[in-house]
Amino acid sequence: VSAEKPLPGYAKWKDANSMIVHSANTVETRRDAFGSAGITPLDRLYIRNNLTPPSEDIVKDPDSWKVEISGVKSPRSFTVAELKTLGLETVTMVLQCSGNGRGFFPHKPSGTQWTVGAAGCVSFTGVPVKAVLEATGGMADGMKYMTSTGGEEIPAGLDPNTLMVERSVPLSGIEDAILAWEVNGEALPLAHGGPLRMIVPGYAGVNNVKYVKHVAFTKDQSPAKIQQSSYRFSPIGVKGTPEYDSIWEMDPKSWITMPSDPNQPVKAGRVQITGVAMGGMSEPEKVEVSVDGGKSWKEAEFIGPDLGKYAWRSFVLSAELKPGTYQMACRVTNEDGKSQPENRVENNRGYVNNSWRDHMVAIKVA
Ligand code: MSS
């Protein structure tokens, strides 16, 4: 089944056969299209925009893009060319939308009905936020958050707080944060936040602000709606407010990528069951696979290189399967001993679903 809606103009270069187009601003990777290399090819990486992205013009001369730095001892702005002189780091990490897995919530939360494909594992390159802090005399006193503002144009006459993509993360998140201009070795395309993007490894997608134009160290969280009431972990039927947790650090999660089509029987005999497993804030340490709906589990093998604690790893389990229907599930445990739970935690907007049961697939073997 190929996408019924066409890819949006700014993402025409994506591999249409690997994507599910929900809308011009929400494009999901098909479950069998992640590949097993660990790194997600850019032309298969999902897209999520809260607003229409800026014009393609902003990536024509990426080095001239400017970002303002405030809440530091010596506030100033830098062009990307200037940032490139301050330091260099690459981090491989899972980029995952807070709403990935929303499609499995039975109360049908509003928002895109993502299944597994609002996620990918990619390598971002840029300058460590710490190096930028050093170049600006360090943080001003009493700051508690790093607040990044997206470069979308807000139509005149509208209250910017209701629309703008401005996200705050606690200072614990900036340890490995970078301002990135490259992804998978290529100049950052507009679709993924070029010319410059704030990258907060381990944190849910929304915190990785694209076309970033302002980074402020602040005492309070952003007054923007996207910070105050959206992306909050509130109970079903209750609107998000600052009293509920903001969607920040990610949890361990894994899913089977192949076989994954319930309508495509697999040949009986030796079957390679493969998938991806992420640890969230620490390395994925162990991943188990079940072919009987979670009654019994077998440890799978990680394959490919270990790309660090924020990356996911591909895994495989070889199973000898007779004809029948198998409920295939997987669950990961990270280095901190945190495991993927059996059940989702219900919440109003259907965020952060890492239930292994919801991600199970029924596979026919014939
Ligand atoms: N940024 C900006 N500027 N804008 C928007 O809209 N979105 C978010 C992030 N950032 C935005 C930004 C989200 S929400 C997400 S996921 C991400 O991004 C995605 O990415 P890509 O690259 O994939 O598209 Mo949910 O949590």
Side-chain angles (χ1 to χ4, degrees):
V1 207
S2 75
E4 301 207 356
K5 290 180 195 141
L7 285 161
Y10 66 94
K12 276 277 181 278
W13 51 273
K14 297 261 170 189
D15 175 21
N17 291 325
S18 298
M19 312 307 290
I20 302 161
V21 182
H22 294 281
S23 75
N25 285 335
T26 47
V27 180
E28 170 165 9
T29 309
R30 289 168 51 95
R31 191 166 186 150
D32 60 3
F34 292 100
S36 298
I39 297 283
T40 309
L42 265 201
D43 64 358
R44 302 181 185 184
L45 182 63
Y46 82 104
I47 298 174
R48 193 299 189 237
N49 286 303
N50 295 66
L51 304 174
T52 305
S55 143
E56 198 75 50
D57 290 348
I58 68 169
V59 289
K60 285 196 176 134
D61 178 17
D63 279 356
S64 67
W65 178 263
K66 274 199 188 119
V67 61
E68 189 187 330
I69 311 291
S70 65
V72 292
K73 300 260 158 66
S74 316
R76 56 165 287 189
S77 65
F78 291 92
T79 60
V80 170
E82 287 168 329
L83 289 178
K84 286 180 174 172
T85 68
L86 299 182
L88 193 64
E89 186 55 275
T90 288
V91 57
T92 302
M93 52 162 249
V94 175
L95 183 67
Q96 179 181 224
C97 181
S98 315
N100 198 27
R102 178 182 288 131
F104 301 128
F105 281 83
H107 73 287
K108 296 267 171 269
S110 68
T112 305
Q113 300 301 300
W114 307 108
T115 58
V116 297
C121 181
V122 288
S123 290
F124 285 103
T125 298
V127 61
V129 164
K130 281 184 154 176
V132 177
L133 273 169
E134 215 168 284
T136 49
M139 223 177 280
D141 296 333
M143 300 310 177
K144 291 204 182 114
Y145 299 96
M146 177 175 74
T147 298
S148 308
T149 315
E152 290 103 335
E153 205 80 62
I154 307 294
L158 294 178
D159 174 4
N161 282 334
T162 62
L163 284 177
M164 69 178 172
V165 177
E166 186 174 88
R167 286 287 299 177
S168 304
V169 297
L171 296 183
S172 51
I174 75 172
E175 203 52 35
D176 298 313
I178 61 174
L179 278 164
W181 50 78
E182 214 180 280
V183 62
N184 289 358
E186 294 175 37
L188 197 55
L190 182 76
H192 299 297
L196 190 69
R197 181 172 193 171
M198 176 56 76
I199 292 298
V200 187
Y203 278 54
V206 67
N207 302 293
N208 298 273
V209 174
K210 307 194 225 186
Y211 353 97
V212 63
K213 64 172 185 195
H214 187 182
V215 177
F217 295 89
T218 54
K219 294 200 165 108
D220 297 308
Q221 294 180 33
S222 166
K225 179 170 172 277
I226 198 171
Q227 182 73 30
Q228 295 286 318
S229 57
S230 306
Y231 301 90
R232 295 278 171 180
F233 204 73
S234 62
I236 296 178
V238 179
K239 238 184 97 66
T241 64
E243 80 184 86
Y244 300 108
D245 287 348
S246 193
I247 310 295
W248 281 329
E249 295 185 349
M250 292 192 288
D251 282 320
K253 181 169 176 179
S254 67
W255 57 86
I256 288 167
T257 53
M258 282 199 290
S260 61
D261 187 348
N263 303 314
Q264 188 95 54
V266 173
K267 203 166 167 278
R270 205 169 165 82
V271 177
Q272 306 296 317
I273 303 170
T274 63
V276 291
M278 61 183 275
M281 298 308 289
S282 76
E283 194 134 336
E285 195 175 65
K286 180 176 86 170
V287 59
E288 300 156 290
V289 169
S290 173
V291 295
D292 56 10
K295 288 190 200 84
S296 66
W297 297 89
K298 271 196 186 133
E299 196 166 334
E301 238 176 274
F302 285 118
I303 59 164
D306 175 350
L307 296 168
K309 64 176 175 177
Y310 301 118
W312 70 28
R313 291 194 76 179
S314 299
F315 64 83
V316 65
L317 180 83
S318 282
E320 207 59 58
L321 300 178
K322 296 194 192 85
T325 298
Y326 294 83
Q327 301 291 338
M328 297 188 181
C330 57
R331 71 175 178 209
V332 63
T333 302
N334 72 14
E335 223 173 28
D336 298 334
K338 207 171 184 186
S339 285
Q340 198 178 340
E342 175 170 357
N343 299 310
R344 79 191 90 84
V345 183
E346 303 295 348
N347 65 94
N348 197 39
R349 294 301 308 280
Y351 293 130
V352 298
N353 188 354
N354 67 338
S355 146
W356 62 252
R357 189 165 284 288
D358 282 357
H359 291 79
M360 199 156 74
V361 281
I363 298 298
K364 280 188 208 88
V365 173

